[in-house]
Amino acid sequence: MGSSVQPLTPQPRWDRINSAEVIASARRIYFHFLECSPTHPDPLGVVIAQAPGGQGRVVFELPVLLPEEQFIPLELVRGRSGRSRSSRSPLRG
């Protein structure tokens, strides 16, 4: 109907944020969650506040965002599975 319909998955406003910092903060929050709650189901993503310090939380449902918040989907937090990575041996001397 009207243009006020929200997309199913809120997308980050890449034009308003430093994507490297936001994704790094989201990863820090997500990995902290995994350390504290290893048996919980996977969240949908991480909500990050744009305030300094990158405070945020993992979410299990699509969030209703405040104006200063960004939703980072779990796919971006974990990284793309199709991306090739250099193979570095831990035994390199």
Side-chain angles (χ1 to χ4, degrees):
M1 291 194 197
S3 63
S4 64
V5 176
Q6 296 288 329
L8 292 179
T9 305
Q11 295 297 314
R13 291 293 313 262
W14 299 119
D15 60 331
R16 295 184 182 182
I17 61 175
N18 180 330
S19 60
E21 287 180 11
V22 169
I23 292 173
S25 292
R27 285 183 177 148
R28 180 180 41 79
I29 292 163
Y30 174 65
F31 291 128
H32 181 326
F33 165 77
L34 289 178
E35 289 174 357
C36 296
S37 309
T39 60
H40 278 60
D42 284 341
L44 289 178
V46 177
V47 172
I48 299 282
Q50 292 179 353
Q55 297 296 318
R57 65 190 183 281
V58 296
V59 292
F60 297 91
E61 299 176 351
L62 289 179
V64 175
L65 300 174
L66 296 173
E68 68 275 358
E69 292 180 327
Q70 298 290 331
F71 172 73
I72 309 301
L74 192 59
E75 296 82 32
L76 290 176
V77 174
R78 285 183 173 165
R80 296 191 177 130
S81 60
R83 185 187 311 170
S84 63
R85 295 184 180 183
S86 63
S87 59
R88 299 177 105 185
S89 171
L91 303 175
R92 283 175 41 177

